[in-house]
């Protein structure tokens, strides 16, 4: 049987992902792609390496994500004018066109998660989640024995 805190984290994360996936499907995005789009909307065109670092991803996953976003018409790639090894990723007009809907989806996810929590409970939940994140980061990557 799972430990109670780990079990609760897994259940909450699964439910949040399911709802997000269902809502994002309506705008033609898959789960995780909205994070790339939000990064591009907020910070402008970036190299794939910058996106990997900013979103704590890996190169292979980001390559697949960007390729799928490009195939869907949400981003375009072009060579960097300053580094011939780098590719710049930027939103297309279609990519900019889904921004408001993605922002509404994230607002709905927030509202759904918050439910009847008071502002004080929300602040406490955020503090606890940040502490859990710090604890997990501090423990480092798991080692296989």
């Amino acid at each position: 049987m799972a430990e109670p805190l780990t079990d609760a984290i897994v259940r909450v994360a699964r439910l949040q992902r399911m709802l997000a996936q269902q809502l994002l499907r309506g705008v033609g995005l898959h789960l995780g792609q909205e994070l790339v789009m939000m990064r591009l909307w907020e910070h402008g065109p970036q190299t794939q390496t910058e996106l990997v670092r900013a979103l704590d991803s890996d190169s292979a996953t980001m390559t697949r994500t960007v390729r799928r976003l490009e195939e869907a018409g949400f981003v375009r790639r072009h060579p960097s004018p300053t580094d011939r090894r780098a590719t710049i990723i930027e939103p297309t007009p279609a990519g900019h066109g889904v921004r408001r809907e993605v922002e509404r989806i994230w607002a709905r996810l927030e509202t759904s998660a918050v439910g009847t929590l008071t502002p004080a409970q929300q602040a406490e939940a955020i503090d606890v989640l940040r502490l859990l994140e710090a604890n997990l980061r501090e423990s480092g990557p798991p080692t296989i024995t």
Side-chain angles (χ1 to χ4, degrees):
M1 181 175 199
E3 296 297 325
L5 181 60
T6 297
D7 184 55
I9 291 169
V10 168
R11 285 184 290 113
V12 168
R14 184 180 59 76
L15 288 170
Q16 192 273 350
R17 288 177 56 88
M18 286 171 45
L19 180 56
Q21 186 171 356
Q22 177 185 8
L23 294 171
L24 288 167
R25 192 175 303 129
V27 295
L29 291 172
H30 295 280
L31 194 61
Q33 292 177 336
E34 83 283 8
L35 299 175
V36 173
M37 295 306 301
M38 288 191 294
R39 179 75 189 176
L40 294 172
W41 293 326
E42 291 176 21
H43 299 280
Q46 295 177 46
T47 65
Q48 194 161 307
T49 302
E50 290 170 323
L51 289 170
V52 165
R53 271 192 234 114
L55 297 173
D56 198 22
S57 184
D58 61 77
S59 293
T61 299
M62 188 59 66
T63 297
R64 282 190 305 273
T65 300
V66 168
R67 181 178 39 80
R68 289 176 181 152
L69 284 168
E70 186 176 36
E71 289 169 358
F74 293 121
V75 300
R76 68 175 144 249
R77 293 186 273 189
H78 58 85
S80 168
T82 58
D83 182 351
R84 62 187 175 108
R85 298 168 297 161
T87 300
I88 304 292
I89 315 300
E90 66 179 339
T92 62
H96 285 293
V98 297
R99 182 176 184 167
R100 285 184 187 243
E101 189 59 30
V102 170
E103 290 170 347
R104 278 193 280 270
I105 288 168
W106 270 63
R108 180 170 173 194
L109 290 168
E110 183 82 1
T111 300
S112 295
V114 166
T116 59
L117 293 177
T118 65
Q121 289 171 319
Q122 291 173 49
E124 184 178 353
I126 290 168
D127 289 344
V128 169
L129 288 169
R130 285 184 178 147
L131 182 56
L132 291 172
E133 179 184 11
N135 290 345
L136 290 169
R137 284 191 188 281
E138 188 176 301
S139 71
T143 56
I144 299 173
T145 57

